[in-house]
Amino acid sequence: MARQYAAMGRNLALCARRTDRLEELRTDLTARYPGIKVLVRQLDVDDHDAVFTTFQAFADELGTLDRVVVNAG
């Protein structure tokens, strides 16, 4: 899904407990689509307060969040 949105020229805010794969994805996407921003942050959704802090940081850096896609497991 991230690849499809990147191909449409959308900025992305990606988060997960482990970010190594997201860092690789960011490198690939920004090389293919240099006009987009891809932000990566560590987030464990079990930390309730961190969810709000992380999404606010994304919104602050990107200006807005249009969609949020949540996927677990």
Side-chain angles (χ1 to χ4, degrees):
M1 188 177 294
R3 293 179 193 284
Q4 291 173 337
Y5 278 115
M8 292 187 286
R10 307 286 187 188
N11 294 325
L12 301 170
L14 308 173
C15 55
R17 281 185 295 153
R18 294 185 312 259
T19 59
D20 53 328
R21 288 184 178 171
L22 294 182
E23 296 286 353
E24 291 174 15
L25 180 60
R26 173 174 49 190
T27 299
D28 179 50
L29 293 177
T30 56
R32 288 180 190 234
Y33 311 104
I36 67 167
K37 282 186 181 181
V38 180
L39 308 179
V40 172
R41 296 198 193 293
Q42 189 279 330
L43 175 64
D44 183 344
V45 296
D46 285 334
D47 182 347
H48 184 264
D49 293 335
V51 172
F52 293 96
T53 302
T54 299
F55 278 79
Q56 186 60 57
F58 281 145
D60 290 346
E61 191 162 345
L62 293 173
T64 186
L65 296 177
D66 295 330
R67 289 172 184 80
V68 175
V69 178
V70 179
N71 182 35

